[in-house]
Amino acid sequence: GSGLAVGRLVLTAWASASSYRITDHRGGANGARVRLEPQRSWAVNEPEALGSALEILEGIRASFNAGRADGMQISLADLIVLAGNAAVEAAASASGHSIAVPFRPGRTDASAEQTDADSFAPLESHADGFRNYVANEAAERTEARLVDKAHLLGLTAPQMTVLVGGMRVLGATANGSALGVLTDHVGTLTNDFFVNILDPELNWSVSPRCEHFYEARDTSNTMRWTGSAVDLIFGSNSQLRAISEVYASDDGSELFVRDFVAAWDHVMNLGRFD
């Protein structure tokens, strides 16, 4: 009932949790530092849209916490993750799958005084293939940067694959771009991304609009989709294509939803040491 779209709730939770790095165990959803500088102003997080979403979630949090006789309270850090989980559940339900996304509370909210902005600045991501985001200075080899990001999140190749495909169909792309959103049912958790990226009837070529964009045209030369090098890697790399073919199969929908939820839960709980 927040009025926020599935994609926006997913993006807000992703922005909070995906800052984590297994290399030095920094970042993550715990602390809700996505609402603080410098993370709040990172271009990859879409500051204006993020700010609006956080304002709405903060209102829900305040309403829930106000005057509860049982003393139960929720942190914004937990609520951001819970909201993302609720969006994933709704999207799965819309595709005919009833599944509960695991949620474990206990995250707390850090203050600005507890956050050294200068030390957090190096965590900024200039390329996040999961959101199909890339800054101008990082436009080359975006598919390699996706693998780097997946490594920092401790993801396996199947986990990386299912998360990209899921976030595309959920509409969780940077700045609301249709790039890589290979579905006619945005906001529904389907395996459409994999079905369409592997469609043998489509011909992909470099877009005349940008050398880093690609266009998919059908046999009548009608443009059906646009994508990035990150999207096309799931059809061209032998290992990732093999994984994608499993999810694209006629009976792959249920496995796709289950694996997406498990990979999503993994990312949402990074940085917890309890």
Side-chain angles (χ1 to χ4, degrees), residues 117-135:
D118 290 339
S119 72
F120 274 88
L123 273 67
E124 181 177 3
S125 179
H126 297 287
D128 183 352
F130 294 96
R131 289 179 270 191
N132 232 351
Y133 169 84
V134 59

Side-chain angles (χ1 to χ4, degrees), residues 11-165:
L11 280 169
T12 303
W14 183 264
S16 183
S18 68
S19 59
Y20 186 77
R21 309 191 305 191
I22 63 169
T23 50
D24 55 9
H25 306 293
R26 301 187 65 205
N30 197 13
R33 285 189 166 89
V34 72
R35 79 195 194 286
L36 303 173
E37 296 297 346
Q39 293 184 41
R40 188 185 183 101
S41 296
W42 287 348
V44 66
N45 290 340
E46 301 172 63
E48 186 175 346
L50 174 64
S52 297
L54 290 175
E55 184 178 355
I56 292 172
L57 292 177
E58 182 56 51
I60 294 172
R61 173 181 174 270
S63 177
F64 178 87
N65 288 348
R68 290 190 63 90
D70 58 9
M72 183 181 294
Q73 303 283 285
I74 188 169
S75 66
L76 187 61
D78 270 344
L79 184 61
I80 289 170
V81 172
L82 184 61
N85 288 4
V88 171
E89 287 185 357
S93 178
S95 67
H97 299 277
S98 178
I99 190 167
V101 180
F103 175 72
R104 184 160 52 97
R107 301 167 187 83
T108 57
D109 297 334
S111 66
E113 290 72 24
Q114 294 169 324
T115 304
D116 182 350
D118 290 339
S119 72
F120 274 88
L123 273 67
E124 181 177 3
S125 179
H126 297 287
D128 183 352
F130 294 96
R131 289 179 270 191
N132 232 351
Y133 169 84
V134 59
N136 289 335
E137 63 269 25
E140 300 297 331
R141 293 188 55 76
T142 52
E143 63 275 28
R145 294 175 188 273
L146 169 69
V147 174
D148 287 344
K149 179 75 173 178
H151 168 69
L152 289 174
L153 294 172
L155 297 172
T156 63
Q159 287 175 319
M160 179 186 76
T161 301
V162 78
L163 280 170
V164 169

Side-chain angles (χ1 to χ4, degrees), residues 92 95-97 99 158 161-163 165-166 169 189-195 198 242-261:
S95 67
H97 299 277
I99 190 167
T161 301
V162 78
L163 280 170
V169 297
L189 194 57
T190 67
N191 62 345
D192 287 358
F193 173 84
F194 300 107
V195 171
L198 300 178
I243 298 168
S244 298
E245 287 175 348
V246 173
Y247 293 131
S249 62
D250 290 341
D251 59 353
S253 180
E254 184 175 351
L255 176 65
F256 161 72
V257 171
R258 187 171 71 243
D259 286 358
F260 178 84
V261 167

Side-chain angles (χ1 to χ4, degrees), residues 155-207:
L155 297 172
T156 63
Q159 287 175 319
M160 179 186 76
T161 301
V162 78
L163 280 170
V164 169
M167 290 186 68
R168 293 293 189 276
V169 297
L170 292 176
T173 54
N175 301 304
S177 171
L179 196 68
V181 182
L182 312 184
T183 182
D184 292 322
H185 309 284
V186 181
T188 302
L189 194 57
T190 67
N191 62 345
D192 287 358
F193 173 84
F194 300 107
V195 171
N196 289 311
I197 201 67
L198 300 178
D199 187 345
E201 298 297 318
L202 295 177
N203 178 50
W204 287 90
S205 60
V206 177
S207 171

